[in-house]
Structure formats: structure tokens, C-alpha cells
Amino acid sequence: MALSDMSLEELERLEVVLDEPADLDEFWRTTLEQAAAHPLDVRRAPVATRLTTLVHEEFSFAGWGGDRVNAWLVRPAGVPGPLPAVVEFIGYGGGRGLAEDRLTWASAGYAHLVVDTRGQGAVWGGGGATGDPAGSEVSAPGFTTRGILDRDTYYYRRVFTDAVRAVEAARSQPDVLADAVSVTGTSQGGGIALAAGSLAPGVRAVMADVPFLSWFRRAVLVADTEPYAEITRYLAVHRDRVEQVLTTLDHFDVAHLVARAGAPALVSVALMDRTCPPSTVWAAHRRYGLRGGGRCELAVYPFNGHEGGQSHHWRRQLEWLAGQLA
């Protein structure tokens, strides 16, 4: 395995210039106002497990269009609340899995909300439990081209809105510290976390590990693996719709959205990552907080691919978030 894109020295010299859509703020303001017309309608129910140190609950809320989004809420047993919370979003194709799958954040004393990605959960892991009732026009296999000809119908409009609603749902709970809700995720989950941290008010901190969904216009030119290759394959067929597609993607590009972020962030990049090319992650890092004032710390893994730092990075996240909350 070799460098997939640029060396760290080349990244540090890279000038990231993006043409942000003029209507980006208005588009997301309108989108979130439409979502807010539906009550959050949070529902919680106990889940029995054999894990005696943690409490598990089935957790759901109304996402985009009032559609039900499912999650797990995991908390340390016997620890009085309210607790700081971590809302986690999932990598491409995966779902929230089994209740027992993710234990670290709750074991460290947090309320941990593990959120499904609508329509996903049948590619890897323990599965998902949230459908996507919205249909789409013709698309390539996968999720990245669903509804891609129009910003209003694009799949990630619903996903990012669900993520903002997940943060709101967590903050609304009496056993959660409303001013200490952070977001995290890896790959697609990292991109969703960056979007949520930029669009949802009151996020305390953002942790995005080797994030997807950044600098689309470059990614589709330099990434030769899925999921970006889904878009490349679509454009290879729809030769007359290239700019239409790229204009849609501009409204969901986290390299644009993160300029609005005000919370501190920890982002990781792997220099041998063929799935999320380092230059695309770098763009999100460099543009983070340009308008919102948030600062972004970058963790670099020179000899890793899309697996990133794994347990080494998760340990770093635990230390980093404790520092932010202190």
C-alpha cells in the first residue's frame, strides 16, 4: 500500500479553494424549518441484555418528514444523571447493529446515542432498523446517487436532517446535559458528524474519523473506489448532467458546511486512504470554523488506509473529549 493522494508536505501546501453555493444557508435554513414542523416525538423503551454495568434502551425520534429514526441509547448503570452525551453516526452501509455492539462511550461515563442511517444497515455489521420511505429517480447501486439531480430530493438531505434531529433529541432528554452533547463517526459517520456539528445548534464537540462526503468535486476525480465511484459511474452514463449533479452535491459537501462550525473538532486523516482521499479530508480540516470560529485539530496516520487509527484513535478521542468538557 502506498500514498493514495498526497503526502503530508503536499497537503500542507495545498490551496483549498471551493465555490460555495450562494443559496447554501437559505437551503439549509428552509430544510431544517420544514423538519421542525414535526414534533421530535422521542420514544424510549428498556432493552434487556446480559451486560450488568450498562443500561440499554431502544430510542427513536422523528427525523426528516416525520419519518421514524431508530437508535440505541446506552448509559452507565448506577450513575446518576444528567450525563454528557455522544451521538454517533455510522459508516456507509452499516446500521446501529446490536445493542451490545458499542460500549466504549457509555463505559467512560457518557450517554451514548447510536443512530441508524436511514435505508442502510444491510452491508456489514449487525444490521439497521430504519427504512427510507422517500423514493428517488434512477440511480446507480448504493446510496450516493439517490435523488442526485436535485438538492431537494437528494438522499443526504434526509440523512443530514436526521442527524440534526438526533442531536436535538439527545439534548431534549432530562438525563442528558443539554450543553454537553458531542457528535462522532467514522467514514460516512464522520461526514455526517461534521454536517451535524455545523448545522445543529449547541453541539459541544465534533469527532470525525477519516470522514467521507467532503470536497465532492475533487473526490470524484481522484477516488477509484466506492462510495465515490458510484457517482463517477453515474456521471459516466449521464454525460449531459455533470454540472447538475455537482451542483446538487455542493449543497451537501461538508467542506462547505464546516465553515459554519463553532464547536472544537478532532478530525483524522490516513495518508494511504483510497476510499476517502487525504486531500478531501484536508479540505474539511482547513475550512473548519472559517465563519463559525471553531478550531480543528488534525490527527494524521501516515501508514494507514481507510481503517485510520482504529483503537489508537479511539483512545485519543476519549482523552480529547474529556479535555473539551473539562
Side-chain angles (χ1 to χ4, degrees), residues 45 67 85 87 93 95 118-119 129 138 149 161 198 211 253 257 284 294 299 307:
D67 300 336
V87 180
R118 61 167 60 218
V138 172
L149 294 180
T161 302
S198 304
D253 192 327
L257 294 176
E307 76 279 2

Side-chain angles (χ1 to χ4, degrees), residues 21 138-140 144-151 154 216-217 220 228 230-253:
V138 172
S139 62
T144 62
T145 63
R146 294 186 179 183
I148 202 169
L149 294 180
D150 192 304
R151 62 184 189 174
Y154 189 46
F216 280 111
R217 287 179 180 257
V220 297
Y228 286 123
E230 295 170 7
I231 302 171
T232 307
R233 189 161 53 245
Y234 181 94
L235 293 176
V237 174
H238 298 280
R239 299 167 177 84
D240 58 337
R241 294 180 170 179
V242 171
E243 191 55 36
Q244 182 178 359
V245 165
L246 294 177
T247 298
T248 293
L249 293 174
D250 284 340
H251 289 80
F252 304 90
D253 192 327

Side-chain angles (χ1 to χ4, degrees), residues 85-108:
V86 174
V87 180
E88 181 174 2
F89 306 105
I90 307 301
Y92 194 74
R96 63 177 183 169
L98 303 180
E100 297 89 345
D101 280 348
R102 290 174 171 81
L103 309 177
T104 301
W105 287 110
S107 298

Side-chain angles (χ1 to χ4, degrees), residues 280-316:
T280 67
V281 177
W282 185 262
H285 161 61
R286 288 300 297 268
R287 288 180 52 81
Y288 192 91
L290 288 180
R291 290 170 55 181
R295 67 186 188 280
C296 182
E297 180 179 333
L298 187 69
V300 181
Y301 298 100
F303 296 99
N304 290 97
H306 195 53
E307 76 279 2
Q310 292 186 323
S311 55
H312 292 269
H313 189 68
W314 303 332
R315 175 184 287 179
R316 181 168 179 170

Side-chain angles (χ1 to χ4, degrees), residues 91-306:
Y92 194 74
R96 63 177 183 169
L98 303 180
E100 297 89 345
D101 280 348
R102 290 174 171 81
L103 309 177
T104 301
W105 287 110
S107 298
Y110 297 88
H112 184 199
L113 190 65
V114 185
V115 185
D116 258 343
T117 308
R118 61 167 60 218
Q120 298 188 33
V123 177
W124 59 268
T130 303
D132 183 14
S136 73
E137 299 295 329
V138 172
S139 62
F143 301 93
T144 62
T145 63
R146 294 186 179 183
I148 202 169
L149 294 180
D150 192 304
R151 62 184 189 174
D152 289 338
T153 59
Y154 189 46
Y155 171 72
Y156 280 101
R157 185 188 192 201
R158 302 189 291 280
V159 171
F160 286 2
T161 302
D162 290 346
V164 171
R165 301 276 283 179
V167 172
E168 294 172 353
R171 296 185 72 205
S172 73
Q173 299 307 288
D175 48 356
V176 168
L177 285 168
D179 63 349
V181 175
S182 302
V183 292
T184 191
T186 298
S187 191
Q188 174 187 252
I192 297 172
L194 288 171
S198 304
L199 296 171
V203 171
R204 184 66 173 269
V206 178
M207 296 168 287
D209 194 6
V210 290
F212 177 46
L213 307 168
S214 179
W215 204 359
F216 280 111
R217 287 179 180 257
R218 176 172 173 82
V220 297
L221 297 177
V222 299
D224 58 1
T225 62
E226 295 183 350
Y228 286 123
E230 295 170 7
I231 302 171
T232 307
R233 189 161 53 245
Y234 181 94
L235 293 176
V237 174
H238 298 280
R239 299 167 177 84
D240 58 337
R241 294 180 170 179
V242 171
E243 191 55 36
Q244 182 178 359
V245 165
L246 294 177
T247 298
T248 293
L249 293 174
D250 284 340
H251 289 80
F252 304 90
D253 192 327
V254 297
H256 291 314
L257 294 176
V258 294
R260 293 145 179 79
L266 174 63
V267 172
S268 77
V269 61
L271 299 186
M272 295 185 177
D273 189 344
R274 294 179 59 205
T275 302
C276 294
S279 58
T280 67
V281 177
W282 185 262
H285 161 61
R286 288 300 297 268
R287 288 180 52 81
Y288 192 91
L290 288 180
R291 290 170 55 181
R295 67 186 188 280
C296 182
E297 180 179 333
L298 187 69
V300 181
Y301 298 100
F303 296 99
N304 290 97
H306 195 53

Side-chain angles (χ1 to χ4, degrees), residues 52-103:
T52 58
T53 61
L54 300 175
V55 175
H56 291 75
E57 291 181 73
E58 182 85 44
F59 187 103
S60 69
F61 59 92
W64 166 258
D67 300 336
R68 207 85 212 143
V69 178
N70 295 298
W72 299 121
L73 179 62
V74 190
R75 296 173 292 123
V79 178
L83 300 173
V86 174
V87 180
E88 181 174 2
F89 306 105
I90 307 301
Y92 194 74
R96 63 177 183 169
L98 303 180
E100 297 89 345
D101 280 348
R102 290 174 171 81
L103 309 177

